[in-house]
Amino acid sequence: MSMIKIKPALSKGTRDFLPVEVAKRQYIFDTIKNVFRKYGFEPIETPAIERLETLTGKYGEEGDKLLFKILNSGDYLTDVRQLNNTNLDPKEVTPLIAEKGLRYDLTVPLARYVVQHQDKLTFPFKRYHIGPVWRADRPQKGRYQEFYQCDADVIGSSSVFSEAELLCIYRDAFAGLQFNNYEIRINNRKVLSGLAELLNSGELFSALVIAIDKLDKIGLEKVLEELRGRGFEEKQLEVISAFLAVSGSNEAQFEQLEKLLASSEVGLAGLAELRELVEICAAQNLTLVIDTTLARGLDYYTGLIVEVKPTGVAMGSIGGGGRYENLTEIFGGKNMSGVGVSFGIERIYDVMEELGLFPDTLNQSVQVLVVSLLPEVDKFAFEQTQALRQAGVAAEFFTGNIKKQKQFNFATDKNIPFIIEIKAEDKANGLLSVKNLKNKEISQVAAKELCGFFKG
Amino acid sequence: MSMIKIKPALSKGTRDFLPVEVAKRQYIFDTIKNVFRKYGFEPIETPAIERLETLTGKYGEEGDKLLFKILNSGDYLTDVRQLNNTNLDPKEVTPLIAEKGLRYDLTVPLARYVVQHQDKLTFPFKRYHIGPVWRADRPQKGRYQEFYQCDADVIGSSSVFSEAELLCIYRDAFAGLQFNNYEIRINNRKVLSGLAELLNSGELFSALVIAIDKLDKIGLEKVLEELRGRGFEEKQLEVISAFLAVSGSNEAQFEQLEKLLASSEVGLAGLAELRELVEICAAQNLTLVIDTTLARGLDYYTGLIVEVKPTGVAMGSIGGGGRYENLTEIFGGKNMSGVGVSFGIERIYDVMEELGLFPDTLNQSVQVLVVSLLPEVDKFAFEQTQALRQAGVAAEFFTGNIKKQKQFNFATDKNIPFIIEIKAEDKANGLLSVKNLKNKEISQVAAKELCGFFKG
């Protein structure tokens, strides 16, 4: 190793995790995974590194800029030298020096995976994937260049029950995390298409959706103003106003929307799908909130759209997804209907931290600290520790020569609830003093019964 | 999304994992993690992306070449243009266009982590880390550009019991995996230093170790020949021959070595350390094999050296490690003695696959497939499925209109042992036919007792 000293520092926008943070993150992952498993979803993994050919052009122009690109190995400049140009342009140079990149999400790798391995997969293919993705975004509070995504998708099923399953998964996972402050809002892309049909707005459709999506933030007046600026006529704005004024219970909303969209076949189809989903979920005691202003990356979704919003804390959505049709086409796969949801696990972590929802036990990975007070009893003390470990009790071992205060600090820092200090006579009479560090109680336990004391 | 169709392909040297492969890998990880946990080791995580400053110069010149470097964002060519040179040299250009890289192992990130977070850590710091690392190696069978490492280290303890713990962890983890075909070989760097002292060979030390390391492969004669070529004299070669002739039981080896190294203080210290470790482990029924030809990255280790070799299969080591002193110095940390071991989990996977050691249950993630035969019973059938899931039984649901053969194939492909086909009368009389797909037995089960049937 070179001996030049280097200041220890992270690359910007990346994080280290302390043991307790890993335990909390793992608790979220394991809780969600356990629900996925019950619903028949299976885990897959794809590499961090993908060919840039696979990634480029899938996330828009802005997304392409945010892809991390990996420098080719060896003398990667051969082609650049042949340009014989000192005024190099990144657009021209990048394809010559980088053919790999870091994955930007888990969806494009899924599409590649499904087409590449279709002969080995069972359809409907229900997979989940929890893993890091990378984006060269400007780092800021709560936004990282390396962060985790958590997705579940069903590929090759157009059943409404697949949608109901995914919404029940949200409910079960959040219940498992003891997190109840959220609502599941749903819409259907076909309802928005129905509105567009009514308006006969043609290519203004995406402007319409972008404006509607802002309703929450800027209010009705500003939305209408924006639409006016985009070329919508007053008559159209009246229809839009009526659409946005839809409110009340789900049933009340359905009634108003069925009237409004009466002349649109696609609109009514969207409402019928929503109604069936609401009914199936209601039978599972799962309440959904109809929200016709929900849009979410509309280019991509073709049916159901869902978003999970935390209530009572100022934070964006902690989950979302929907139904899509042409995911695998880009890789030459046949058109298979799919539906998927994501858990925003980085935000879920923050919400749970804010609400104090992590179990205290995550702070406590070791049950007992065994301390040998004299070199002569080291081996005896180590054997007691090993016996505990073999019985499944997490235990730490300290040899003598360590100051009492340091032992105590160690136990406190690691939240270890019990300490056993072993003296010369303990080995002789086979009786150990187990001290409970919370209530200071001391129990005399026969060495032979030590495991039972902790397991019982 | 752009509509140019792209052939789905992996970047070379990377892998996708099918669900059953993920399950097998996870089984290995979970088994090892569970042992780490019992021994008081805690998980940490560090980012995939590190500053190149952190990584460069730590793995030798060859290692530097194998680092994956990430292109800077934005107009990353500004500094290159200022060179005003069309004959660009990668050595000069790379530092101007890449300041980040992918981690090459988990050890250098650990050193950075320990120094950076020392105020928040409890020492001795016992951490484990399982995660991917990246190397721009030429891919070949069993060698990937993206692969997993699994390390456990104790930082800030010079106790022989820390060493014993790590060796017991090997034993417990392999026992957990039902893998018994291995041996744990140990040596001590001080024994080799003792030999060097005897030879008074000075700067020829590393040549000596490199040659000894080859004994297994090329045999004694060729080792001596190589050493002769390197400038060792006949008298020295006699001592080396005597050293390499040491054999027999551990006790027999100790006796021979104690005589040979009688005049070397450091050599005797190394033997005493080995002897104590062997003794402590013997009391735990763990047999170690003394192997004085074991060297393993000698520049790095300062005391114990360990290697785990599979027996009965032609494969390199599946684990290794040792004691080191100056890990954190490079990042300005104070000198703390540490000891660590790695599990070669990619190879362990291959060995277990070859020996057929993975439990059959890993192939079977779903317990029962519920099929609705008619749209009228869809909701009833879905409710039965949901009840099973709520009770913790992994279940799949199929709605009608799906061909019998497809249902059966689905159950077969996913190794689902039970199928319940729901007909109109089943809903009416609340009685379900549960078919065991292995023995073709059919049980009539009341809907209310369905969960009990699978849980009991």
Side-chain angles (χ1 to χ4, degrees), chain A residues 13 41 59-60 85-87 107 113 118 132 135 153 169 197 205 231-232 250 258 263 270-271 294 296 305 391 409-410:
Chain A
F41 286 77
Y59 309 104
N85 180 355
T86 56
N87 189 26
T107 304
Y113 183 101
Q118 52 189 315
R135 297 182 184 179
D153 289 82
I169 282 175
E197 216 172 74
F205 184 52
F232 282 88
N250 286 344
E258 275 157 3
S263 67
L271 287 174
L294 204 61
R296 280 191 78 81
I305 304 166
N409 290 349
F410 185 87

Side-chain angles (χ1 to χ4, degrees), chain A residues 70 93 126 202 220 233 295 300 302 317 345 350 383 390 395 407:
Chain A
I70 296 169
V93 171
K126 299 168 77 172
L220 181 62
E233 291 164 20
Y300 182 65
T302 54
S317 75
I345 44 186
D350 292 343
E383 277 157 31
Q390 297 306 317
Q407 289 168 25

Side-chain angles (χ1 to χ4, degrees), chain B residues 63-265:
Chain B
D64 282 352
K65 280 187 203 150
L66 300 184
L67 290 174
F68 278 117
K69 297 163 192 83
I70 295 170
L71 216 48
N72 294 340
S73 301
D75 181 4
Y76 59 89
L77 289 168
T78 314
D79 292 345
V80 178
R81 281 192 292 267
Q82 280 176 7
L83 294 176
N84 204 18
N85 180 355
T86 55
N87 190 27
L88 297 166
D89 177 1
K91 274 207 183 115
E92 196 178 3
V93 172
T94 306
L96 303 178
I97 64 173
E99 56 188 28
K100 291 182 286 290
L102 295 177
R103 69 180 174 213
Y104 181 89
D105 70 2
L106 303 177
T107 304
V108 166
L110 170 65
R112 179 192 55 69
Y113 182 101
V114 167
V115 178
Q116 196 171 333
H117 305 291
Q118 53 189 313
D119 298 338
K120 283 172 269 174
L121 304 178
T122 306
F123 292 91
F125 178 56
K126 299 168 78 173
R127 86 86 174 82
Y128 70 83
H129 191 173
I130 302 179
V133 301
W134 292 267
R135 295 183 186 178
D137 248 322
R138 186 186 297 273
Q140 55 185 57
K141 192 178 172 330
R143 193 203 279 164
Y144 305 100
Q145 294 199 337
E146 177 171 338
F147 61 97
Y148 270 60
Q149 288 194 335
C150 168
D151 292 4
D153 290 80
V154 186
I155 310 282
S157 158
S158 52
S159 166
V160 65
F161 288 99
S162 297
E163 299 170 6
E165 283 186 349
L166 289 167
L167 301 187
C168 288
I169 281 175
Y170 272 136
R171 192 260 317 268
D172 292 359
F174 288 125
L177 294 170
Q178 316 280 339
F179 174 64
N180 305 307
N181 309 34
Y182 68 93
E183 54 186 22
I184 301 178
R185 307 182 81 84
I186 59 167
N187 193 10
N188 194 302
R189 153 81 197 245
K190 291 173 187 165
V191 171
L192 294 170
S193 299
L195 173 63
E197 215 172 75
L198 242 58
L199 299 170
N200 205 2
S201 58
E203 70 270 28
L204 287 173
F205 184 52
S206 43
L208 172 68
V209 170
I210 288 166
I212 287 181
D213 215 19
K214 293 183 190 161
L215 186 66
D216 255 9
K217 282 177 205 143
I218 63 175
L220 180 62
E221 280 315 305
K222 292 223 162 141
V223 167
L224 294 177
E225 201 174 299
E226 179 172 328
L227 289 170
R228 205 170 277 122
R230 295 286 189 144
F232 281 89
E233 292 163 20
E234 286 312 311
K235 210 164 166 178
Q236 292 177 312
L237 293 178
E238 273 170 39
V239 178
I240 295 169
S241 297
F243 182 82
L244 295 180
V246 166
S247 65
S249 69
N250 286 344
E251 192 46 45
Q253 287 196 56
F254 279 133
E255 279 173 25
Q256 296 163 57
L257 288 163
E258 274 157 4
K259 269 182 213 155
L260 251 167
L261 299 174
S263 66
S264 164
E265 203 177 317

Side-chain angles (χ1 to χ4, degrees), chain A residues 2 4-6 8-11 14-19 22 37-40 42-49 51 53-54 57-58 68-71 73 75-77 80-81 84-90 93-94 97 100 102 112-113 115-117 120-124 126 134 136 146 148 159 161 164-165 168 171-172 279-280 283-284 329-332 365-366 378-379 382-383 386 389-390 392-399 410 413-414, chain B residues 2 4-6 8-11 14-19 22 37-40 42-49 51 53-54 57-58 68-71 73 75-77 80-81 84-90 93-94 97 100 102 112-113 115-117 120-124 126 134 136 146 148 159 161 165 168 171-172 279-280 283-284 329-332 365-366 378-379 382-383 386 389-390 392-399 406 410 413-414:
Chain A
S2 127
I4 309 153
K5 290 200 178 152
I6 292 156
L10 286 160
S11 179
T14 70
R15 293 166 290 175
D16 284 330
F17 295 106
L18 293 169
V22 176
R37 190 192 57 76
K38 282 193 299 185
Y39 281 79
E42 296 183 308
I44 69 163
E45 275 177 29
T46 67
I49 295 178
R51 294 152 58 98
E53 198 182 66
T54 299
K58 310 302 186 302
F68 278 117
K69 297 163 191 83
I70 296 169
L71 217 46
S73 301
D75 181 5
Y76 59 89
L77 289 168
V80 177
R81 280 192 294 267
N84 204 19
N85 180 355
T86 56
N87 189 26
L88 297 166
D89 177 1
V93 171
T94 306
I97 65 173
K100 290 183 286 290
L102 295 178
R112 179 192 57 67
Y113 183 101
V115 178
Q116 196 171 333
H117 305 292
K120 283 171 268 173
L121 305 179
T122 305
F123 292 91
K126 299 168 77 172
W134 292 267
E146 177 172 336
Y148 270 61
S159 166
F161 288 99
E165 283 186 348
C168 287
R171 192 258 318 266
D172 291 359
E279 253 177 57
I280 293 169
Q284 295 299 317
E329 271 182 350
I330 183 79
F331 296 106
S365 59
V366 172
D378 275 358
K379 283 175 193 164
F382 184 65
E383 277 157 31
Q386 282 298 105
R389 289 165 174 164
Q390 297 306 317
V393 179
E396 285 275 8
F397 173 70
F398 260 34
T399 47
F410 185 87
D413 285 355
K414 290 192 99 171
Chain B
S2 130
I4 308 153
K5 288 202 178 149
I6 292 156
L10 287 159
S11 179
T14 69
R15 291 167 291 174
D16 284 330
F17 295 107
L18 293 169
V22 175
R37 190 193 56 75
K38 282 193 297 185
Y39 281 78
E42 296 182 309
I44 69 163
E45 276 178 27
T46 67
I49 296 178
R51 293 151 59 96
E53 197 182 69
T54 299
K58 310 303 186 303
F68 278 117
K69 297 163 192 83
I70 295 170
L71 216 48
S73 301
D75 181 4
Y76 59 89
L77 289 168
V80 178
R81 281 192 292 267
N84 204 18
N85 180 355
T86 55
N87 190 27
L88 297 166
D89 177 1
V93 172
T94 306
I97 64 173
K100 291 182 286 290
L102 295 177
R112 179 192 55 69
Y113 182 101
V115 178
Q116 196 171 333
H117 305 291
K120 283 172 269 174
L121 304 178
T122 306
F123 292 91
K126 299 168 78 173
W134 292 267
E146 177 171 338
Y148 270 60
S159 166
F161 288 99
E165 283 186 349
C168 288
R171 192 260 317 268
D172 292 359
E279 253 178 58
I280 293 170
Q284 296 298 316
E329 271 182 349
I330 183 78
F331 296 106
S365 58
V366 172
D378 274 358
K379 283 174 193 165
F382 184 65
E383 275 157 34
Q386 282 297 105
R389 290 165 174 164
Q390 298 305 317
V393 179
E396 284 277 8
F397 173 70
F398 260 33
T399 47
K406 196 175 171 191
F410 184 87
D413 285 355
K414 290 192 100 173

